[in-house]
Amino acid sequence: MPDTEKMTLPVVELARENNEFRKVLWTGEKTQLVLMAIPVGGEIGGEVHQGHDQMLYFVAGTGVARIGDVETNIADGDVGIVPSGVFHNFRNTGSGMLKLFTTYSPPEHEPGTEHATKAEADADE
């Protein structure tokens, strides 16, 4: 699916319906909107974004967030804030998919990027 041209989206509903590991919804000059779905026992994978701030909005499931040296439980309704240059990882510790939408400032992925699984995403990087 190419980036949407709509400027108003039911993003929580779209995130809850999404089953792909990563799906870029919209890319602007300074910000990007991405859906993610992490399977039971899966994780986003530890990483550091240099020059990119990220905010992750969780809409379904439960897990553990590690941002810097701090680990905390996460659930539907929580927001993870990851400043540029900070190590982070998010793991699904629940019994269903961990679903979220995230913003990157500036954009991190190519417009229209879709990865069905983490393995596919890793192979693309």
Side-chain angles (χ1 to χ4, degrees):
M1 172 176 118
D3 279 20
T4 184
E5 293 185 18
K6 291 183 178 181
M7 294 296 108
T8 303
L9 298 169
V11 70
V12 172
E13 179 182 328
L14 292 170
R16 287 183 177 147
E17 292 172 357
N18 175 55
N19 288 313
E20 292 189 55
F21 178 75
R22 176 180 296 125
K23 181 187 282 188
V24 174
L25 280 185
W26 181 81
T27 303
E29 182 181 333
K30 297 182 181 185
T31 305
Q32 186 171 61
L33 178 62
V34 179
L35 303 179
M36 295 190 79
I38 313 304
V40 174
E43 65 182 7
I44 290 176
E47 58 188 355
V48 175
H49 301 295
Q50 294 295 344
H52 300 267
D53 291 329
Q54 184 178 10
M55 296 184 70
L56 302 95
Y57 306 84
F58 298 92
V59 300
T62 58
V64 173
R66 178 172 175 209
I67 303 172
D69 294 328
V70 177
E71 276 199 1
T72 188
N73 292 325
I74 51 173
D76 181 358
D78 289 338
V79 174
I81 301 167
V82 182
S84 173
V86 175
F87 176 87
H88 57 283
N89 191 16
F90 299 86
R91 295 176 311 177
N92 182 345
T93 58
S95 59
M97 292 279 267
L98 179 61
K99 297 191 175 188
L100 62 127
F101 62 94
T102 183
T103 59
Y104 295 93
S105 298
E108 172 75 4
H109 304 287
E110 288 295 318
T113 297
E114 290 189 37
H115 297 123
T117 65
K118 181 175 181 342
E120 188 178 301
D122 289 346
D124 194 32
E125 290 181 9

